[in-house]
């Protein structure tokens, strides 16, 4: 496991509300086993009126379980509806800004939390794999809002029933011509950092301003679980990983090292399998104590085809598994309602679905003093909102 990075000096003072032009510095750092370490970076600028709480310094979307099974046309229809809603949210502007700017100008991105292709990942010849990408990725997320927008990828159990390496290679093939490839899947684990530098309005200050850091560890939970104890079924791809204790230990060691070293204001971990869920599927054992110990802001997952917000021991757990359908029942709800500020804060299931949503997604907006999480229906309408505060380091 190898990773390298180059980062600018970091300040942790949290900014006061003032008008400024933030600079967003994006760095991708990844965990690499058989392939060389890769670092990519970009710099973008936005106009933001920080006195307006509606403005966003950074926006990203977390989406899981989205690559529709083509044998069920209604699922592809649902997926396309969700894509329309995502594009709408990405292009929202602050109406009070003197020069409204699409949030997508602010180096936004998509975080895919697995099960990218149903029912069994991608497989076959290169031409067959490319055709599948075209049908449920390129042609579905075709809107201007998605143009060159990075999609950071992790694999789910459905992806492991096919060829995960082919998904990794797809991103490499599409970047070979010098164009910006939006499918960012360089390896099974990757680290994503966004630094928002807010210039100071005080001419007497000598520093470059205040920096707010959002850091995400995108992890492969398939390499972390003990299938014999954790899950009710073991399909072909899961059997291929069963018993690889060394892989599990290396993954956990990398996660703990990155959590321990992080000085991010908002530290998130994202993987396919949930840690806690109101549905019987999951969980990943062994992460919860680590997330608590290192003051992780939130853990984001998919796998369960519902929307959930659960709090436990100071950590927020979000499940965004509705990229093409809402089908779970939430039968374990009572086990998670434990009082003391812990438990289920929000749950959207097949049975508890007052708006009749057929799918949806989770967005995050970075403000001057908080990170706002919102669950959306397929149209982009907001179904639920929660505020996450900066870590106290």
């Amino acid at each position: 496991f190898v990773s390298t990075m180059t980062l600018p000096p970091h300040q942790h003072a949290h900014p006061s509300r003032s008008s400024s032009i933030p600079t967003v510095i994006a760095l991708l750092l990844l965990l690499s086993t058989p392939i060389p370490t890769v670092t990519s970076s970009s710099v973008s600028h936005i106009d933001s009126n920080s006195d307006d709480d509606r403005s966003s310094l950074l926006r990203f979307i977390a989406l899981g379980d989205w690559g529709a099974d083509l044998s069920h046309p209604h699922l592809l229809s649902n997926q396309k509806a969700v894509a329309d809603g995502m594009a709408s949210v990405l292009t929202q502007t602050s109406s009070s800004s003197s020069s409204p700017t699409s949030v997508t100008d602010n180096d936004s991105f998509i975080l895919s939390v697995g099960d990218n292709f149903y029912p069994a990942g991608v497989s076959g010849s290169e031409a067959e794999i490319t055709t599948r990408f075209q049908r449920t990725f390129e042609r579905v997320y075709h809107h201007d809002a998605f143009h060159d927008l990075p999609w950071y990828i992790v694999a789910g159990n459905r992806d492991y029933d096919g060829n995960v390496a082919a998904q990794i290679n797809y991103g490499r093939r599409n970047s070979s011509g010098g164009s910006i490839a939006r499918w960012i899947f360089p390896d099974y684990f990757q680290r994503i950092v966004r630094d928002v530098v807010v210039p100071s309005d005080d001419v007497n200050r000598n520093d470059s301003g205040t920096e707010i850091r959002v850091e995400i560890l995108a992890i492969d939970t398939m390499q972390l679980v003990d299938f014999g104890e954790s899950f009710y079924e073991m399909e072909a791809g899961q059997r291929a990983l069963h018993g690889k204790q060394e892989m599990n230990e290396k993954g956990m060691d990398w996660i703990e090292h990155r959590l321990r070293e992080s000085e991010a204001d908002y530290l998130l971990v994202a993987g396919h399998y949930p840690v806690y869920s109101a549905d019987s599927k999951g969980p990943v054992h062994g992460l919860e104590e680590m997330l608590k110990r290192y003051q992780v802001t939130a853990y984001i997952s998919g796998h369960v085809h519902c929307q959930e917000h659960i709090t436990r021991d100071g950590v927020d757990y979000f499940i965004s598994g509705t990229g093409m359908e809402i089908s779970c029942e939430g039968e374990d709800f009572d086990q998670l309602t434990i009082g003391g500020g812990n438990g289920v804060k929000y749950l959207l299931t097949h049975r508890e679905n007052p708006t009749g949503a057929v799918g949806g997604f989770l967005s995050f907006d970075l403000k001057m003093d908080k990170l706002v999480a919102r669950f959306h229906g397929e149209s982009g309408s907001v179904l639920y909102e929660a505020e996450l505060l900066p870590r106290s380091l």
Side-chain angles (χ1 to χ4, degrees):
F1 291 79
V2 180
S3 63
T4 62
M5 65 178 178
T6 303
L7 296 174
H10 183 54
Q11 300 174 357
H12 286 287
H14 296 290
S16 60
R17 294 185 178 272
S18 61
S19 297
S20 54
I21 302 176
T23 300
V24 181
I25 305 173
L27 301 97
L28 166 67
L29 306 100
L30 60 111
L31 173 70
S32 179
T33 44
I35 64 173
T37 300
V38 177
T39 301
S40 64
S41 63
S42 64
V43 179
S44 61
H45 302 270
I46 64 168
D47 292 323
S48 174
N49 179 357
S50 58
D51 290 327
D52 179 4
D53 187 61
R54 290 172 293 180
S55 65
S56 177
L57 303 178
L58 174 70
R59 175 171 295 166
F60 62 95
I61 285 176
L63 179 72
D65 305 83
W66 49 267
D69 184 342
L70 293 172
S71 64
H72 299 283
H74 75 283
L75 296 180
L76 182 58
S77 177
N78 291 351
Q79 183 190 352
K80 290 178 178 178
V82 172
D84 292 342
M86 292 168 60
S88 174
V89 168
L90 285 168
T91 54
Q92 288 175 356
T93 60
S94 173
S95 60
S96 67
S97 173
S98 59
S99 55
T101 303
S102 168
V103 180
T104 55
D105 290 341
N106 184 18
D107 207 23
S108 299
F109 59 93
I110 308 296
L111 179 64
S112 171
V113 291
D115 279 5
N116 310 313
F117 298 95
Y118 275 79
V122 297
S123 59
S125 68
E126 183 174 309
E128 290 171 324
I129 291 170
T130 299
T131 297
R132 181 57 204 267
F133 267 90
Q134 287 292 324
R135 296 186 69 181
T136 58
F137 178 61
E138 303 289 1
R139 295 174 188 169
V140 173
Y141 307 101
H142 60 82
H143 313 66
D144 289 344
F146 296 118
H147 181 67
D148 287 338
L149 197 71
W151 288 62
Y152 296 103
I153 309 297
V154 299
N157 58 300
R158 298 285 184 169
D159 302 306
Y160 267 91
D161 291 330
N163 186 348
V164 177
Q167 293 193 36
I168 293 175
N169 289 333
Y170 182 80
R172 296 180 194 162
R173 287 193 288 117
N174 282 275
S175 61
S176 60
S179 62
I180 299 175
R182 59 175 178 166
W183 185 265
I184 311 296
F185 195 6
D187 210 339
Y188 297 90
F189 293 69
Q190 55 181 314
R191 180 171 174 250
I192 306 153
V193 177
R194 290 292 191 275
D195 287 327
V196 180
V197 181
V198 183
S200 172
D201 289 337
D202 187 350
V203 296
N204 296 316
R205 288 181 58 172
N206 295 321
D207 58 51
S208 59
T210 302
E211 182 178 295
I212 307 173
R213 173 167 292 181
V214 177
E215 179 176 350
I216 304 172
L217 302 184
I219 65 174
D220 189 324
T221 55
M222 288 292 295
Q223 299 186 22
L224 304 180
V225 299
D226 180 347
F227 297 109
E229 296 179 0
S230 300
F231 293 93
Y232 60 91
E233 64 179 7
M234 189 189 302
E235 298 173 357
Q238 297 170 323
R239 285 193 294 270
L241 288 173
H242 186 53
K244 293 190 176 180
Q245 184 65 27
E246 182 180 358
M247 182 181 293
N248 177 293
E249 291 175 356
K250 284 184 177 180
M252 285 295 194
D253 288 347
W254 182 85
I255 294 167
E256 181 160 24
H257 171 72
R258 288 301 170 196
L259 293 178
R260 183 172 59 247
E261 295 296 315
S262 177
E263 296 182 339
D265 300 282
Y266 301 93
L267 177 59
L268 300 93
V269 180
H272 181 62
Y273 284 140
V275 173
Y276 296 106
S277 170
D279 193 82
S280 59
K281 295 184 177 182
V284 179
H285 295 298
L287 276 179
E288 52 267 57
E289 285 303 316
M290 203 182 297
L291 300 178
K292 176 184 176 182
R293 184 184 319 132
Y294 296 108
Q295 301 179 52
V296 168
T297 307
Y299 179 83
I300 307 167
S301 65
H303 189 57
V304 182
H305 294 189
C306 63
Q307 296 178 350
E308 300 184 33
H309 178 204
I310 299 166
T311 58
R312 191 75 175 252
D313 298 324
V315 180
D316 289 272
Y317 296 88
F318 294 94
I319 297 178
S320 178
T322 56
M324 64 172 182
E325 67 173 352
I326 300 171
S327 60
C328 78
E329 301 296 335
E331 59 264 32
D332 291 343
F333 175 86
D334 292 340
Q335 299 180 31
L336 292 171
T337 307
I338 55 179
N342 294 310
V344 179
K345 302 299 182 182
Y346 167 74
L347 179 64
L348 178 69
T349 69
H350 177 68
R351 291 188 298 182
E352 299 294 331
N353 187 357
T355 66
V358 300
F361 55 95
L362 172 65
S363 72
F364 289 89
D365 276 294
L366 178 63
K367 309 290 187 177
M368 295 293 289
D369 58 356
K370 60 193 173 186
L371 185 65
V372 180
R374 296 185 179 95
F375 277 111
H376 303 261
E378 73 277 3
S379 68
S381 60
V382 177
L383 304 179
Y384 172 80
E385 179 177 308
E387 295 183 355
L388 310 178
L389 299 179
R391 301 164 71 211
S392 300
L393 299 177

